[in-house]
Amino acid sequence: MDTPLPEIPLLKIFSFLDAFSLLQVCQVNKYWNTVAENDHLWRNLCLEKWGFCHFSYRCPGAPTWKRFFLSQRKRERRMASAQPEDFIYREAAGNLGILEPMAYLSGSSLQMNEREKSVLCTVSSKRMLFAWDVQEGTMIWSSPVQRSSIRLLETLPQMRLAFTVDLEGTVKVWNCRDEHALATLTLPKACFSLEAFLTKEGPFLMVGNSEGDIYTLTVPELRSVSKVNAFKYSVDLLHVSPSKRWVFASGVHQHILPKVFYAECLLRPSEDKIPLSVCLPFSSCCRAGWAPKRYNRITLMFRRASFRKTGFTTFDLTLERTGGQTVVQAHQVASFLLPVHMESPIWMGVSDANMIVFESGSRLFLFTINGLLLQQFDDHEISICNLWVDSLHVLTTSMDNYLHLYMWEEEGRYPYLKSCCHLEHRRDDFTPSCYVSKALCDNASIVCVVSKSRESSILIQVTGGRGDQGRR
């Protein structure tokens, strides 16, 4: 220890350590502590731990990456150990119409600012867009009534922007503060899919329409960057990979083969070149998801034999030079079919590089991409009607007035799901729902939409306020 290593080789050594080991070396001496505090080390740990960490820089006044990592882990542990009595229920007042869809505009799983509140956007059948302060349970903004019903909603939490598409094909950008949209663009055909994402070059919005076209637009101006025709039918599924390198497009039509585009060709198009893409040889694709930590891996859920069989297939995407040309290659790494007696799932999610989670009837299953059953959960009495998955949480809802929270844990060879808590949609209200109940969450709140009548939904905002202060 009398002859300290130079900073650069010491940083290289520290880069191989996990968070616990990095905290330990901080205690060796002042020099090691200074090196181990390096923001680059802790940012890499954040990127390795959470697929949603797409921050490339820290905003002024934001905490260090180390502080963010430790506070994020603290919130995760608090949520994982929460009990039903730790949550505070708040119910939005008034006749809101039927609320669908919804998305977080900001939240504790998405922001480096620890004091950032969870803000939720919802679309109403009254042709309006709402923004809610989830912690307070109050509406903080509403748009004017739109000419046509809003069909799609997408958010870009890093910029606190929301995007909507209505039945007439009108795309709008909202900051959820001003009365009117920041930009408006009307496309010639009906739109079926919407994806917003942030790259090193800036934010973009992609829109898929009824004729198989994919539009790439700048944000917030909605200026056209490119337009490419993927196939003859509607683009129902549109997913950009976590690395922003690949764009998956598919339709639910049985004759459509999904495509994966090299994103750079859509973001920086060349007039004399066809965008690089590859077809995946599985028709009747009904769901798809990119692996959060394996940025070139995608898993598809597909149907076979008149939809009586459901299967999953996984591909790794690469860019290769062949015969003097650059081509996109899709390498199938795994595939399996579910047993015929198993009820076909409607929803799916992926975690890590090898995990698939899906519902079947009232049960939740965790499989490897090769078809190995790892876990089965029987927390609902009747069929699961909605499944929501991100890199930290899994939420299931059913028509029996309950939702269940699971969290991903990493121990041993495979990640696994930890069953955390079983919550009522509305306490002591056993009236059945008229529509599918849907829920999503971050590390401070759970939000659920329940429709007890055919004219209006109830927005239930559940926060861990009591758990934040310790159980009493």
Side-chain angles (χ1 to χ4, degrees):
M1 302 301 295
D2 294 335
T3 307
L5 283 172
E7 182 176 348
I8 292 178
L10 195 58
L11 271 174
K12 182 65 175 178
I13 294 170
F14 286 178
S15 69
F16 294 98
L17 300 180
D18 58 20
F20 179 75
S21 302
L22 202 54
L23 290 172
Q24 287 184 310
V25 302
C26 286
Q27 303 176 47
V28 172
N29 57 41
K30 290 184 178 180
Y31 175 57
W32 279 33
N33 179 69
T34 301
V35 176
E37 293 277 346
N38 185 281
D39 237 22
H40 182 73
L41 293 174
W42 289 96
R43 178 180 180 272
N44 285 343
L45 286 175
C46 290
L47 291 169
E48 182 181 334
K49 177 69 179 174
W50 301 293
F52 64 77
C53 274
H54 14 248
F55 317 107
S56 57
Y57 60 90
R58 288 192 298 110
C59 300
T64 63
W65 283 106
K66 177 183 177 181
R67 183 176 173 185
F68 172 75
F69 183 96
L70 296 177
S71 63
Q72 181 74 12
R73 288 293 292 147
K74 181 180 179 181
R75 286 193 292 261
E76 284 183 26
R77 289 193 296 269
R78 189 167 58 223
M79 180 69 94
S81 61
Q83 298 300 311
E85 60 269 19
D86 294 325
F87 291 93
I88 299 172
Y89 281 67
R90 294 181 176 89
E91 196 171 296
N95 186 348
L96 305 173
I98 299 299
L99 297 177
E100 188 181 2
M102 60 180 175
Y104 276 108
L105 186 65
S106 67
S108 66
S109 292
L110 302 163
Q111 302 292 341
M112 286 194 69
N113 187 346
E114 294 171 307
R115 292 170 292 183
E116 187 77 32
K117 289 188 174 182
S118 300
V119 177
L120 183 84
C121 284
T122 60
V123 167
S124 168
S125 60
K126 294 179 177 291
R127 308 198 307 275
M128 299 174 70
L129 177 67
F130 299 131
W132 306 84
D133 182 325
V134 177
Q135 273 70 31
E136 298 297 326
T138 57
M139 184 190 299
I140 58 176
W141 176 86
S142 63
S143 73
V145 176
Q146 303 299 291
R147 278 182 42 182
S148 181
S149 295
I150 299 173
R151 179 173 190 162
L152 303 171
L153 170 67
E154 179 75 3
T155 58
L156 195 59
Q158 303 96 318
M159 300 184 69
R160 292 181 65 94
L161 293 176
F163 308 86
T164 58
V165 177
D166 64 22
L167 292 177
E168 296 178 354
T170 301
V171 184
K172 292 188 177 183
V173 185
W174 308 87
N175 62 12
C176 296
R177 296 189 303 274
D178 299 329
E179 179 181 2
H180 298 291
L182 300 180
T184 300
L185 174 68
T186 301
L187 298 176
K189 300 295 180 180
C191 302
F192 284 78
S193 52
L194 193 63
E195 181 87 337
F197 56 99
L198 185 62
T199 71
K200 293 179 180 179
E201 289 74 30
F204 293 92
L205 182 71
M206 287 188 176
V207 186
N209 74 4
S210 59
E211 296 196 345
D213 297 321
I214 301 173
Y215 293 85
T216 302
L217 309 170
T218 62
V219 171
E221 304 86 0
L222 296 183
R223 290 197 301 265
S224 177
V225 176
S226 66
K227 174 189 173 184
V228 60
N229 185 260
F231 25 71
K232 295 180 180 180
Y233 302 96
S234 62
V235 182
D236 301 300
L237 304 175
L238 194 57
H239 302 302
V240 177
S241 69
S243 64
K244 314 302 183 288
R245 194 179 189 195
W246 310 103
V247 179
F248 172 85
S250 183
V252 296
H253 194 281
Q254 61 180 347
H255 297 305
I256 288 181
L257 293 181
K259 275 189 178 181
V260 176
F261 289 89
Y262 184 52
E264 186 174 341
C265 295
L266 305 184
L267 300 179
R268 287 183 291 276
S270 176
E271 293 184 2
D272 57 343
K273 292 184 179 179
I274 298 174
L276 297 176
S277 67
V278 64
C279 286
L280 306 181
F282 280 84
S283 60
S284 300
C285 173
C286 47
R287 300 285 175 188
W290 292 98
K293 299 179 185 178
R294 186 76 171 266
Y295 296 152
N296 66 328
R297 176 165 291 183
I298 190 165
T299 297
L300 281 58
M301 183 167 77
F302 60 89
R303 309 291 193 202
R304 285 288 182 270
S306 301
F307 300 97
R308 285 194 296 270
K309 286 186 178 181
T310 298
F312 297 89
T313 184
T314 302
F315 292 89
D316 283 348
L317 282 302
T318 59
L319 204 61
E320 300 177 4
R321 294 285 295 178
T322 304
Q325 292 184 331
T326 301
V327 296
V328 178
Q329 296 282 7
H331 305 279
Q332 187 179 19
V333 296
S335 186
F336 70 96
L337 286 172
L338 295 179
V340 177
H341 63 79
M342 182 178 285
E343 186 176 335
S344 291
I346 300 174
W347 309 94
M348 65 158 283
V350 294
S351 178
D352 194 55
N354 302 302
M355 302 292 105
I356 306 171
V357 60
F358 60 88
E359 99 298 342
S360 177
S362 62
R363 295 172 175 172
L364 184 71
F365 293 92
L366 181 65
F367 274 75
T368 68
I369 59 174
N370 294 297
L372 174 64
L373 173 62
L374 296 179
Q375 289 178 283
Q376 174 182 314
F377 299 92
D378 298 273
D379 295 303
H380 292 279
E381 294 182 0
I382 62 176
S383 293
I384 295 171
C385 58
N386 188 255
L387 170 68
W388 182 85
V389 182
D390 71 2
S391 59
L392 297 176
H393 317 91
V394 173
L395 271 177
T396 56
T397 60
S398 66
M399 306 291 272
D400 61 1
N401 198 44
Y402 282 96
L403 64 87
H404 199 91
L405 171 67
Y406 308 84
M407 293 190 70
W408 294 106
E409 298 285 343
E410 296 184 7
E411 290 183 9
R413 182 179 177 186
Y414 296 113
Y416 69 96
L417 278 177
K418 177 184 178 182
S419 177
C420 296
C421 59
H422 204 61
L423 301 172
E424 292 180 275
H425 295 166
R426 300 180 79 193
R427 286 178 172 166
D428 302 321
D429 182 355
F430 301 102
T431 308
S433 298
C434 296
Y435 301 104
V436 170
S437 301
K438 296 185 177 180
L440 49 77
C441 73
D442 61 11
N443 274 339
S445 63
I446 300 173
V447 180
C448 184
V449 170
V450 180
S451 300
K452 297 293 186 177
S453 75
R454 299 191 180 278
E455 290 77 35
S456 182
S457 296
I458 302 163
L459 181 65
I460 300 163
Q461 300 159 82
V462 187
T463 58
R466 294 175 190 146
D468 292 348
Q469 301 166 5
R471 293 177 199 158
R472 293 196 288 253

